[in-house]
Every structure is written in structure tokens, then in C-alpha cells.
Amino acid sequence: MRIFISTGEVSGDLQGSLLITALKRQAVAIGLELEIVALGGEKMVEAGAILLGNTSSIGSMGILEGLPYLLPTLQVQRQAIAFLKQNPPDLVVLIDYMTPNLEIGTYMKQQLPDVPVVYYIAPQEWAWSISLRRTNRIVGFTDKLLAIFPQEARYFREKGAEVTWVGHPLVDRIQDAPSREAARATLGIAPEQIAIALLPASRRQELKYLLPVIFQAAQTIQAKLPEVHFWIPLSLEVYRQPIEQAIERYGLRATIISGQQMEVFAAADLAISKSGTVNLELALLNVPQVVVYRLSSLTAWIARKILKGSVTFASPPNLVVMKPIVPEFLQEQATPENVIQAAMELLLNPSRRAQTLADYQEMRQNLGEVGVCDRVAQEILQMVAGAGK
């Protein structure tokens, strides 16, 4: 049986790899032989996918920010559609990656209507939809939507989709997380040392808009707390050099880490992070965090005019419970001063930390039970078996 999976960016590559591992495990259990062809990244290749195109670094947030990626995105989309036309799979799984996946889903519905399409981790229309056009497209071509958030399940079900709420895959991933003590031992962090994780970028644009804010804040925190050391897990190897240069420029006591993100998180006393899936991972590992996000001022202006304040929150932990459980600073609010103040409070005020950890517990209730990836794999393989009859 051939399954085609389409996703992009660093987070999509991670989710795709977790899914492929579960699909392979479940397929063996029912004696099914699987071939997985994908748009994705290195992690998916390691999990056993045949890669049609590497999309882990083709991604951006915002209108202007997306322009440099327009051509590579179109190329990879065309490549995928050409492949699907020549080699119709038994099932298609779309993971997030909205613009290309809308085109691929629409193509499947029009040209290969007998091949089931599953949307797993749908675009966050439930959080910031400005028109129903995209939602209706998703509902129109999706045979089964596997929702990771309860609100997402409700939203798409009300719009007419066939929905199963499976829970969030990071719930599974953190089962493998080391304890704080073990993580600190692995990284060589002394008990009395304050370890702060810095997560400035998983997209090229974030090096420009977020890294200066985060590193400037880190510089002041370092001056205030001599026992602090910064840990920076690399999302993509290509960012190593610009981050190394920035560490030197800001004079930070910092270590870049490749391939041990989970250890860094488990060991950290605090994280200063861009907004994204990574915020959920930190929350599930009980790491207090400060979240920042910035886009170009023109993109921000356009977004405000169109969205008119309909985006209450940006970071997933706050979106899940629709309240500000982690401090997030967006656009003009994303200043080093705001980050420093919030970070120092989380580090030095025990009651503020305790409140954050209590709020994390509430958030955790909305993310489902362990076994998410296996549940997703079972749903998909049942559909594959059904389609193959």
C-alpha cells in the first residue's frame, strides 16, 4: 500500500516523522506492507519515507515574508501533483502546510476522487479564520479530519467535516523526555547553574525579526544573573553560522546544541522562544517561557486591518485554554525590556512560576491521552484497507 504524506517546515517534519514511525509499527501488526512517499524533511527520511521534495526550510509567516518562498513552494507543489498523477497512492495524508496542501487536496478531489484524503493537524482556521472560503475548501476535499485540539474538532465538525479528535502528538513525544536531573547530567549543567533555552528561529525571517530581540534580552539577563548560561537548540543546521555570529556580537555565554532539543528543554529553568509548536513542548515539560513574535510592519498592518483584533493569542498554550498562561509579546510589544521583565519574574518569583505550572496542568487536559500517533495510524490504515477493497 502506498501512502503519500505532504507537510512542510521544521514542525511538520517532526510530526510527519512521528506519524511514519507509528504507521510502520501498526502496519507490521496487521501484516500490511507500506510504502511512504512524502514532501517533508530529514526526520521523515530517517523514519522511512521516500522524499519527493525537502520542504523543511521552505516556509514563512506573513505576506511579504512569504514572497521569497513562492517559487520553491510552487515547484514542490507541482512536483507532488505530477507524482500523484503518475502514481496514484492508496491514501493521502496532509499535515498543516496550508497553501501547498490546499492545492494538493483540491487536485485529489477533482482528479483522483476515489483516493481518500486525511487532514491531520489542519491549518488553525478555528483560531484565526477570516473567511470561510479556506475552511470550506478543506472540508470539501477531506474525507477524514483528525483533529489535535478539541476546539479544532468542534469547529470543523460544525462546518460539515467528518472529524475524529485524536489528541496532540507531542503528548506521546514527551513520554521519552529525560528527567531534569538526567538532562542536566547529559549536558554537563551544574545544579546551581541557571539554564535558559533560547529558541529564536525555525524560519529564515525569524533570524531577522526575532533573534535581535531575544539576544538583547539575554544580554541584560546575563548581566543581572552571573550564574546564567544559555542553551540554543538548532532547528536547522543552516542557521548555525548566523547564530554563532550573533552569540559573539552580543557576548553571550551560550552553547549551540544540535539534535538534543529534548534534553535542553528538560534541563531548562526558563525558555525565551518564538511562537510555535515548540511552546507546547515546553509547556508539557513544565518549562516556564516567554514568547515573542514579530512580522514586517507592513504584514502586521495588513493583518490587523483584515483580522480586526480577532486573534486573541498567538502561542499554542494560550490558544488551547484561551487565556494568557504564558507571557507573549507580539509586534511592537516584542521589546527586549518586556522580555527581560517577564523572564526575571518567572525566574525569581516562586508564586509566578507556581501559577504557570498550575496553568500548564489545565492546558494538558485539553491535549488528550497518550497513544495519539498510534490512534492516528490506526484511523489511516483502516481507511487504506477500506480503499484497497
Side-chain angles (χ1 to χ4, degrees):
M1 290 286 185
R2 178 186 289 139
I3 294 178
F4 177 78
I5 299 177
S6 170
T7 189
E9 304 204 58
V10 172
S11 59
D13 184 31
L14 169 63
Q15 305 300 1
S17 70
L18 296 175
L19 175 59
I20 292 164
T21 304
L23 280 168
K24 298 250 177 195
R25 188 167 55 236
Q26 295 292 332
V28 168
I30 58 170
L32 193 64
E33 207 170 310
L34 277 190
E35 179 186 69
I36 295 172
V37 182
L39 294 179
E42 293 306 318
K43 285 191 170 72
M44 288 168 73
V45 174
E46 284 162 27
I50 300 159
L51 215 57
L52 263 193
N54 193 325
T55 55
S56 58
S57 60
I58 307 176
S60 62
M61 283 278 284
I63 302 152
L64 291 185
E65 293 80 356
L67 291 176
Y69 300 99
L70 203 56
L71 211 57
T73 301
L74 280 171
Q75 281 170 336
V76 89
Q77 201 173 287
R78 284 199 191 116
Q79 217 175 333
I81 287 170
F83 173 83
L84 291 165
K85 192 176 183 179
Q86 294 298 315
N87 314 275
D90 295 289
L91 183 133
V92 168
V93 181
L94 306 175
I95 302 177
D96 200 2
Y97 209 37
M98 181 155 70
T99 306
N101 280 347
L102 282 179
E103 295 306 320
I104 290 168
T106 303
Y107 173 82
M108 293 306 296
K109 191 72 184 167
Q110 289 169 352
Q111 304 299 325
L112 296 165
D114 296 337
V115 177
V117 174
V118 174
Y119 219 130
Y120 166 53
I121 313 184
Q124 289 189 331
E125 292 289 289
W126 55 273
W128 42 255
S129 177
I130 46 169
S131 85
L132 284 177
R133 202 163 59 87
R134 281 194 299 228
T135 298
N136 290 337
R137 271 183 83 181
I138 292 166
V139 171
F141 63 64
T142 302
D143 295 285
K144 174 69 76 83
L145 193 138
L146 301 176
I148 60 173
F149 297 112
Q151 305 94 307
E152 175 196 1
R154 275 195 299 274
Y155 174 84
F156 281 105
R157 199 172 282 128
E158 282 165 9
K159 301 295 181 280
E162 173 75 30
V163 179
T164 302
W165 177 50
V166 288
H168 202 291
L170 289 181
V171 171
D172 290 355
R173 182 168 150 79
I174 61 139
Q175 297 305 301
D176 301 329
S179 68
R180 175 183 161 85
E181 293 69 31
R184 285 189 157 230
T186 302
L187 298 170
I189 302 174
E192 69 283 357
Q193 192 177 65
I194 297 175
I196 298 180
L198 301 180
L199 300 147
S202 65
R203 302 182 180 103
R204 173 70 57 188
Q205 71 190 67
E206 292 161 351
L207 291 171
K208 177 182 174 184
Y209 293 121
L210 303 181
L211 184 140
V213 177
I214 291 174
F215 277 27
Q216 226 172 307
Q219 195 179 39
T220 303
I221 292 166
Q222 180 174 282
K224 288 174 186 275
L225 302 169
E227 66 279 31
V228 97
H229 190 89
F230 300 103
W231 297 84
I232 306 170
L234 268 190
S235 54
L236 291 169
E237 194 56 41
V238 69
Y239 300 151
R240 182 183 290 275
Q241 198 188 352
I243 290 174
E244 277 174 351
Q245 288 166 347
I247 289 171
E248 208 169 309
R249 197 161 61 246
Y250 289 92
L252 298 182
R253 288 189 299 277
T255 305
I256 295 176
I257 290 277
S258 195
Q260 286 183 301
Q261 181 169 290
M262 190 83 85
E263 283 76 6
V264 172
F265 289 179
D269 296 293
L270 175 81
I272 303 174
S273 173
K274 50 156 283 183
S275 175
T277 307
V278 76
N279 307 138
L280 274 184
E281 210 169 336
L282 288 162
L284 287 167
L285 289 166
N286 281 327
V287 182
Q289 60 187 303
V290 181
V291 177
V292 293
Y293 214 81
R294 264 185 178 173
L295 295 160
S296 73
S297 44
L298 181 60
T299 297
W301 181 81
I302 294 167
R304 281 180 183 141
K305 287 285 173 202
I306 296 171
L307 294 169
K308 296 202 169 35
S310 64
V311 175
T312 328
F313 299 110
S315 64
N318 293 348
L319 275 171
V320 169
V321 288
M322 278 300 172
K323 68 178 198 184
I325 64 178
V326 303
E328 57 174 55
F329 300 109
L330 311 177
Q331 220 50 29
E332 298 84 3
Q333 298 296 310
T335 62
E337 294 72 27
N338 281 343
V339 174
I340 293 157
Q341 192 180 351
M344 294 301 281
E345 194 181 355
L346 283 169
L347 279 171
L348 304 177
N349 180 342
S351 65
R352 181 73 182 85
R353 278 183 81 84
Q355 182 60 56
T356 299
L357 300 185
D359 288 339
Y360 280 169
Q361 285 310 106
E362 182 193 344
M363 180 210 79
R364 171 76 185 73
Q365 306 308 312
N366 285 285
L367 298 183
E369 298 303 317
V370 173
V372 175
C373 295
D374 282 315
R375 285 197 289 280
V376 172
Q378 283 161 358
E379 289 268 353
I380 288 168
L381 293 178
Q382 277 167 10
M383 290 178 75
V384 169
K389 281 171 189 166

